[in-house]
Amino acid sequence: LIIFSFCLGLSCLSGFFHMKNKNYRISKSHEELLIPPTPCHAKTNVMFLKTHKTASSTVLNIMFRFAERYNLTVALPADQLLHLGYPRTFVAHFVEGFETIGQNYNIMCNHLRFNPLEVKKVMAANTFYFSILRNPIPLLESSYIYYKDYVPAFRSSKNVNEFLESPTKYYHPADYRKNIYARNIMWFDFGYDNNAEDDTNYTQAVLEEIEQNFHLILIADYFDESMILLKHTLCWDLDDVIYFKLNSRSQDTVQTLTLESEEQIKAWCSLDWKLYLHFNQSFWRRIEQTIGLEVLEKEVDHLRTRQKELMETCLSEQEAVKKDQIRNKALLPFQSGAADILGYNLKQDLDNMTLRICQKMVIPELQYTSYLYAVQHPHKKRKDVGLPLLWTSLQE
């Protein structure tokens, strides 16, 4: 029953839109029955700016599953690219098939460096734009571990606290393309100069521009609350935002920041800090103005209950496991830096329909991107992600 309810949204689909009554209750009073339902259309043209180390891989999985559920077209990286040209500023030809498909994509959610004019060439005029931010303090520690081997500023320091004692000793702006993960990475992802001077007029202008370009900014530190707000804003169903946490790492690879380091991050990544503070406030203001905290709390509980039920159905351990414990190597996430990126083991005795649903919940980002690419562009060479693929043929 749990699994079937997970797919209920399918029966409501009409073309690219499905209707739902947001005020529906199982038992309606006589007065409620007299009130005509207020339907809304699920938004199916959606652009998600995937920022780094912000739970965005989990959001990408949600977006991919939504696209498959409603037979939508995803703007995927061209040829063998796994990102949409990142860290180069996005241009439309980074999307596979743009020359022939044009402005007929429904979903865009792979990593890119935001460039609104070029994105608008790919996405429809009525596209909904959203992104997600994270507190820069845990974000920088996460970046340090994940990109330790790639970023010169991180590679030459012993640990994150040593780096933060004197960031300019290790960080050289001349290496900015290699060092982008070491300073104001969210600012960079939104298309701005992550080494810009923290000038009040400049930062205010950027914040206002982001507000104009994006309909919604979520907060990773309140991920479940963010999913409920997203569900309401897009007029999606709860099943559309159910998730298992992806691309997380084991706790033993987390480095403890000193209080001095935490304060240093606020100064070193001051552009990201301002970005986060501004949109954290607007996030909670949006919730109070639309859902209300009481309804939010109930819906978060409902989300977590459904998530737990699905975990009990799908997973043999009921939780994420370390990389060396993942039995099916096709479900092994890409491993980076000093992090141990966790994954999942599925139960052995699942029926075909349940297995397929569970696989989609846990398939890592690179493998899912490769699979969708093969579905949408069957005549093109399949992406080589350097990892085993869950489905070697599309009929499996």
Side-chain angles (χ1 to χ4, degrees), residues 187 192 199-212:
W187 198 264
Y192 303 101
D199 170 79
T200 303
N201 291 334
Y202 165 69
T203 55
Q204 189 57 38
V206 168
L207 294 175
E208 287 173 10
E209 191 168 76
I210 292 172
E211 283 184 336
Q212 288 168 5

Side-chain angles (χ1 to χ4, degrees), residues 27 40 42 51 66 112 148 155-156 161 182 204 220 228 246 256 281 295 315 356:
S27 62
C40 62
T51 47
F66 184 84
L112 60 80
K148 175 74 171 161
R155 207 166 43 222
S156 51
N161 290 306
Q204 189 57 38
I228 297 303
L246 297 178
T256 304
Q281 284 185 336
V295 172
L315 306 179
R356 193 69 163 184

Side-chain angles (χ1 to χ4, degrees), residues 152 168 170-180 183 193-195:
T168 52
Y170 306 101
Y171 181 96
H172 304 295
D175 294 335
Y176 91 95
R177 279 207 185 280
K178 295 178 182 174
N179 274 331
I180 51 175
R183 189 179 197 190
D193 178 5
N194 61 320
N195 289 308

Side-chain angles (χ1 to χ4, degrees), residues 33 95 104 212-213 246 310 323 334 351 375:
L33 289 169
V95 174
N104 289 306
Q212 288 168 5
N213 286 328
L246 297 178
L310 203 55
K323 61 184 177 187
F334 176 73
D351 64 77
V375 170

Side-chain angles (χ1 to χ4, degrees), residues 287-335:
I287 283 172
E288 287 171 5
Q289 290 168 354
T290 55
I291 310 172
L293 293 175
E294 194 177 333
V295 172
L296 176 74
E297 191 177 340
K298 286 178 184 171
E299 293 206 25
V300 165
D301 285 346
H302 193 190
L303 175 73
R304 288 172 180 166
T305 300
R306 295 291 290 279
Q307 182 188 54
K308 187 170 182 288
E309 289 169 348
L310 203 55
M311 282 186 151
E312 287 170 358
T313 299
C314 292
L315 306 179
S316 55
E317 288 92 354
Q318 313 294 300
E319 62 182 5
V321 298
K322 291 188 172 187
K323 61 184 177 187
D324 55 1
Q325 297 173 309
I326 299 169
R327 292 191 295 269
N328 183 348
K329 297 310 174 189
L331 295 177
L332 179 73
F334 176 73
Q335 302 294 317

Side-chain angles (χ1 to χ4, degrees), residues 100-370:
T100 51
I101 296 172
Q103 202 178 22
N104 289 306
Y105 294 92
N106 305 108
I107 302 290
M108 177 183 267
C109 55
N110 288 82
H111 274 306
L112 60 80
R113 189 175 185 212
F114 192 61
N115 181 0
L117 294 177
E118 289 291 311
V119 170
K120 283 172 183 171
K121 290 180 184 177
V122 176
M123 301 302 291
N126 68 345
T127 295
F128 182 91
Y129 289 78
F130 80 102
S131 189
I132 189 165
L133 299 174
R134 182 184 182 188
N135 186 324
I137 296 171
L139 186 150
L140 190 124
E141 185 276 332
S142 177
S143 290
Y144 186 91
I145 301 301
Y146 196 83
Y147 298 110
K148 175 74 171 161
D149 298 340
Y150 310 113
V151 174
F154 292 160
R155 207 166 43 222
S156 51
S157 54
K158 278 204 308 259
N159 57 52
V160 68
N161 290 306
E162 182 182 88
F163 167 74
L164 287 164
E165 278 174 21
S166 180
T168 52
K169 178 178 167 185
Y170 306 101
Y171 181 96
H172 304 295
D175 294 335
Y176 91 95
R177 279 207 185 280
K178 295 178 182 174
N179 274 331
I180 51 175
Y181 303 104
R183 189 179 197 190
N184 295 312
I185 179 60
M186 295 187 293
W187 198 264
F188 182 87
D189 287 349
F190 275 86
Y192 303 101
D193 178 5
N194 61 320
N195 289 308
E197 191 178 335
D198 185 354
D199 170 79
T200 303
N201 291 334
Y202 165 69
T203 55
Q204 189 57 38
V206 168
L207 294 175
E208 287 173 10
E209 191 168 76
I210 292 172
E211 283 184 336
Q212 288 168 5
N213 286 328
F214 289 85
H215 299 95
L216 180 66
I217 303 289
L218 303 176
I219 301 295
D221 311 80
Y222 306 99
F223 193 79
D224 288 346
E225 292 83 354
S226 289
M227 291 305 98
I228 297 303
L229 181 57
L230 184 69
K231 173 184 88 75
H232 276 267
T233 311
L234 295 179
C235 194
W236 288 8
D237 293 314
L238 185 68
D239 292 330
D240 295 326
V241 296
I242 292 283
Y243 70 92
F244 294 164
K245 195 174 182 181
L246 297 178
N247 212 37
S248 59
R249 63 196 161 115
S250 61
Q251 277 300 306
D252 56 13
T253 63
V254 176
Q255 294 184 5
T256 304
L257 292 163
T258 64
L259 290 174
E260 292 78 14
S261 290
E262 291 188 1
E263 289 305 310
Q264 177 69 289
I265 291 171
K266 294 179 191 177
W268 174 243
C269 297
S270 63
L271 299 173
D272 270 5
W273 184 245
K274 284 190 173 180
L275 185 67
Y276 175 76
L277 291 180
H278 178 86
F279 285 104
N280 185 44
Q281 284 185 336
S282 68
F283 172 79
W284 290 105
R285 195 162 55 242
R286 180 79 162 261
I287 283 172
E288 287 171 5
Q289 290 168 354
T290 55
I291 310 172
L293 293 175
E294 194 177 333
V295 172
L296 176 74
E297 191 177 340
K298 286 178 184 171
E299 293 206 25
V300 165
D301 285 346
H302 193 190
L303 175 73
R304 288 172 180 166
T305 300
R306 295 291 290 279
Q307 182 188 54
K308 187 170 182 288
E309 289 169 348
L310 203 55
M311 282 186 151
E312 287 170 358
T313 299
C314 292
L315 306 179
S316 55
E317 288 92 354
Q318 313 294 300
E319 62 182 5
V321 298
K322 291 188 172 187
K323 61 184 177 187
D324 55 1
Q325 297 173 309
I326 299 169
R327 292 191 295 269
N328 183 348
K329 297 310 174 189
L331 295 177
L332 179 73
F334 176 73
Q335 302 294 317
S336 178
D340 182 342
I341 306 300
L342 305 178
Y344 294 95
N345 288 318
L346 298 178
K347 286 185 175 176
Q348 301 291 309
D349 55 348
L350 300 174
D351 64 77
N352 285 342
M353 180 183 167
T354 306
L355 174 64
R356 193 69 163 184
I357 291 166
C358 294
Q359 285 174 330
K360 295 288 174 70
M361 296 289 294
V362 302
I363 183 171
E365 178 180 334
L366 298 185
Q367 289 95 313
Y368 208 159
T369 298
S370 175

